[in-house]
Amino acid sequence: MSALAALCRLRPVVLALATGSLLTFATCASAAADERAAAPAGRVAAAGQAAAAGQVAAAERVLKDDVVLTPGKGGVIRVKETIVYQFAGHSRFQRTFPTRSHESVTQDRVYKLGALRATSPDGGPTRVSTSTGETDTTVKVSGGGDLTGRHTVVLEYDLRGAITPAGSAEELRWAAAGGWRVPVDEATATVEATAMIRSVNCFAGPLQSTIGCTQFYTNHAHTQGVYTQREMLPGEYLTVVAGLPAGTTGGRAIYERRHTVATAFSVNAVTGGVLLGLLVLLGGGVLGLYLLRGRDARVVGRHAAEGDQAPVAGAEFEPPNGVRPGQIGTLIDEQADVIDVTATIVDLAVRGYLLIEEEDRARTGRLDWTLRRLGRPVVDLLPYERILLDALMTGPDGAPRDAVKLSELGGTFATKLAQVRAAMYDDVVKQGWFARRPDTVRSRWTVVGIALTVLGVAATVALALTTEWALAGLALIIAGAALAYGGQYMPAKTARGSTVLAHTIGFRAFLERGVIPDADHTASQQRIALFSRFLPYAVVFGVVPKWAETVKDAGERAEGADNLYWYEGPAEWDLSNFAESMRTFTLATSGSISQSRGF
């Protein structure tokens, strides 16, 4: 940039005041023209945009675009634009105004056009319509038929937002002319001020161009700024700048919050309060549902002591309330799971329906067990026990079998195991411990929670796209997730089920102590039988290693007690090995069942 061009751009009015007369700045115009000629790349790019922008006949053009801007109170600028347009068979023309610029990530500066109207003294188009884009507004002026030749159209509108305070002055900046789809031969703009204009400047080319226009100056009274630009390409603008004394119009820039992801999830006193309120409301609702529907009608504290009592009464003993291991497992955690089925298998052996034979690891090279069916009638079995026994003793081809190796169970009876689980859930309802099947209750509430979460996601997306209240949708997502998770705890025991649970807690405490009451009249064989009877419950409670140790001393006391009546070990095996054998058997059984697709 030459020193003369810089001087012309920075202080045109100072030069005018220095001469004491109206200065046309011909020298400045020449410098500006030289500078524009030195920037062909920008013009070539603009030309490329012009070629792609319009599908207009080459003969059409704007012969003259004359704009008069009159700033008024409140920063409203009255604009009168006289357009001399060369038509070539079209009935309309259009011009694009830059009405929005991104000032920051969350804020836009906005220019508002209003009261648009068009007149024509020579039959040109006068019907005005507008369309708004992301950063601009397109004004179309159309007529009733195709036109040829030159016609004059006067476009008038009110402009707000183009004046902003700038220190001790007000700055008017506006793309007064341009934004056409056709070339412009000559564009002029005049700022008619009611106060002395302190400074003027102008730029030509794309909106962000810093290239000066052809000519700009003020009149002798400095109340009028005049700007001229010749030969503008399609899409180029003539941007005018005028400095006015502070308080001349009181105008201010208009800013709007830009809707982005950052603003959609903005946290302030309002959105934060709404989020907190919704969380309290929805979280309280989930908690209320749990208290009303999911909390057990427990009387554990009152009845626990009743269950914690010595289980031996003379020669008779019974588990608490006659409840079987699989039932207790389902009652405690409200799920019919692998360990409950394992405990039921052990219980079937203890009660004489199965014989568990441990194979000789030294001979076979691996640890395995054979489950052998005994001839005891199944009339006393519960439905889920009968289904489990049939599943164990039915081959993959559907044929019955008398024995099966534990290692052969994996993956062979998935359908039957699913039926066992369903029967176990039906049984606890039949016993009156639950009003509804726990698995059904869990599924129902989990589905509701997932549906609420999906609704919250949809609401969050919708709110994020249209408002700044997306945090409200997050509250729904959180509540839905809480309900889906809390659905696992929604199954509620009845008062009867809670009472049975209270007895069970006391019985568990007895098994965890791992001490069989020692009395003179309690023989070792009876101690072994007592141990065997309670072992399946120890499997459910997870205390097999500790409880199994209690049989070691009984085996040493009992003459010929190398095996249990329901468990046979290999040669050289005795009850001192039973604790380890039982631990590995329960692990192996649970593992084999887990391999099936039923769990």
Side-chain angles (χ1 to χ4, degrees):
M1 180 187 298
S2 67
L4 178 57
L7 180 61
C8 291
R9 178 171 301 173
L10 294 175
R11 296 295 181 188
V13 178
V14 174
L15 294 177
L17 293 175
T19 60
S21 61
L22 181 62
L23 203 60
T24 61
F25 294 115
T27 305
C28 290
S30 175
D34 292 342
E35 190 174 347
R36 288 168 58 79
R43 297 295 297 272
V44 170
Q49 295 175 356
Q55 301 285 333
V56 188
E60 289 199 2
R61 62 195 312 105
V62 177
L63 302 176
K64 186 173 180 59
D65 190 358
D66 185 17
V67 184
V68 178
L69 302 96
T70 306
K73 290 299 180 182
V76 179
I77 303 173
R78 303 296 300 275
V79 183
K80 183 178 181 179
E81 183 173 3
T82 303
I83 305 159
V84 181
Y85 194 90
Q86 178 71 36
F87 287 90
H90 291 86
S91 63
R92 68 178 185 178
F93 60 74
Q94 69 181 49
R95 184 191 161 191
T96 300
F97 294 83
T99 52
R100 183 179 293 269
S101 62
H102 300 325
E103 295 291 307
S104 67
V105 175
T106 61
Q107 194 174 60
D108 288 348
R109 182 171 179 179
V110 179
Y111 304 86
K112 295 187 176 181
L113 305 179
L116 279 107
R117 55 197 178 278
T119 59
S120 176
D122 56 10
T126 58
R127 188 167 59 250
V128 179
S129 62
T130 61
S131 60
T132 303
E134 182 180 355
T135 59
D136 53 41
T137 299
T138 300
V139 176
K140 297 179 181 178
V141 181
S142 56
D146 295 339
L147 299 172
T148 57
R150 67 176 60 189
H151 289 273
T152 300
V153 176
V154 179
L155 180 65
E156 297 179 82
Y157 60 91
D158 294 340
L159 172 65
R160 292 176 173 81
I163 298 178
T164 183
S168 60
E170 291 182 353
E171 182 184 80
L172 183 158
R173 179 184 290 262
W174 178 239
W180 295 95
R181 299 177 63 188
V182 296
V184 178
D185 290 349
E186 181 180 1
T188 61
T190 304
V191 175
E192 300 277 1
T194 57
M196 181 180 292
I197 298 177
R198 293 186 173 184
S199 62
V200 291
N201 205 348
C202 67
F203 306 96
L207 278 176
Q208 306 303 323
S209 173
T210 59
I211 300 174
C213 64
T214 302
Q215 190 179 42
F216 56 94
Y217 58 90
T218 61
N219 65 353
H220 65 283
H222 305 295
T223 58
Q224 188 180 74
V226 182
Y227 314 82
T228 304
Q229 176 62 38
R230 301 185 62 84
E231 297 181 359
M232 293 171 57
L233 296 174
E236 290 187 335
Y237 290 89
L238 169 61
T239 302
V240 303
V241 182
L244 305 173
T248 301
T249 66
R252 291 186 175 276
I254 302 173
Y255 292 99
E256 290 184 357
R257 192 171 178 83
R258 180 145 46 110
H259 188 72
T260 63
V261 174
T263 59
F265 291 91
S266 60
V267 180
N268 52 46
V270 177
T271 58
V274 170
L275 175 62
L276 181 61
L278 284 175
L279 284 177
V280 171
L281 180 64
L282 296 172
V286 173
L287 179 60
L289 285 172
Y290 171 73
L291 293 176
L292 291 174
R293 302 294 301 275
R295 188 179 64 173
D296 296 336
R298 290 179 177 170
V299 287
V300 174
R302 187 172 59 188
H303 293 292
E306 298 177 13
D308 191 10
Q309 51 187 297
V312 177
E316 301 295 331
F317 60 90
E318 288 293 335
N321 298 325
V323 180
R324 294 179 182 172
Q327 294 174 318
I328 284 183
T330 308
L331 176 68
I332 290 176
D333 59 7
E334 300 163 349
Q335 295 193 54
D337 47 28
V338 171
I339 197 65
D340 301 332
V341 178
T342 300
T344 301
I345 292 175
V346 175
D347 188 51
L348 289 174
V350 170
R351 288 158 56 197
Y353 294 93
L354 291 173
L355 176 63
I356 302 175
E357 298 176 349
E358 181 179 338
E359 296 188 358
D360 190 347
R361 185 173 185 176
R363 182 175 58 83
T364 62
R366 66 173 183 173
L367 191 61
D368 203 354
W369 291 262
T370 298
L371 305 180
R372 192 174 303 281
R373 185 166 187 169
L374 302 179
R376 183 170 180 174
V378 297
V379 292
D380 295 331
L381 293 181
L382 295 174
Y384 75 88
E385 294 174 323
R386 190 176 298 113
I387 294 173
L388 175 59
L389 186 60
D390 289 343
L392 293 172
M393 296 304 160
T394 301
D397 58 353
R401 56 190 176 188
D402 294 328
V404 61
K405 291 184 181 297
L406 192 62
S407 58
E408 297 174 354
L409 289 180
T412 61
F413 54 111
T415 303
K416 288 289 186 179
L417 285 176
Q419 294 176 8
V420 171
R421 294 186 69 188
M424 293 176 80
Y425 285 126
D426 289 336
D427 180 76
V428 293
V429 174
K430 183 178 179 180
Q431 297 296 329
W433 300 342
F434 292 90
R436 287 169 289 274
R437 282 179 48 156
D439 59 331
T440 302
V441 173
R442 276 193 300 271
S443 299
R444 183 180 303 161
W445 285 107
T446 301
V447 169
V448 172
I450 293 174
L452 186 60
T453 302
V454 172
L455 178 62
V457 171
T460 300
V461 172
L463 291 171
L465 293 176
T466 58
T467 70
E468 297 181 1
W469 296 78
L471 286 178
L474 289 180
L476 279 177
I477 295 176
I478 295 172
L483 192 59
Y485 175 77
Q488 306 304 310
Y489 303 95
M490 283 299 181
K493 299 177 184 67
T494 62
R496 182 175 180 180
S498 297
T499 302
V500 173
L501 180 63
H503 285 268
T504 298
I505 290 175
F507 182 61
R508 179 173 60 186
F510 164 74
L511 293 182
E512 287 174 347
R513 287 195 294 270
V515 178
I516 296 178
D518 197 2
D520 293 338
H521 61 274
T522 306
S524 294
Q525 288 290 356
Q526 187 175 354
R527 289 167 59 85
I528 293 173
L530 181 63
F531 159 80
S532 299
R533 185 69 185 91
F534 290 160
L535 180 63
Y537 300 93
V539 173
V540 170
F541 296 137
V543 294
V544 170
K546 189 171 184 179
W547 183 251
E549 288 292 339
T550 63
V551 80
K552 182 176 181 180
D553 180 59
E556 293 175 351
R557 295 184 187 182
E559 182 178 353
D562 293 336
N563 289 290
L564 300 173
Y565 66 90
W566 57 274
Y567 190 100
E568 291 187 359
E572 307 300 329
W573 184 93
D574 58 32
L575 292 182
S576 63
N577 305 118
F578 181 74
E580 179 62 20
S581 293
M582 199 66 233
R583 185 187 67 83
T584 53
F585 172 77
T586 54
L587 291 175
T589 303
S590 297
S592 296
I593 293 173
S594 299
Q595 293 176 21
S596 70
R597 294 180 297 276
F599 286 86

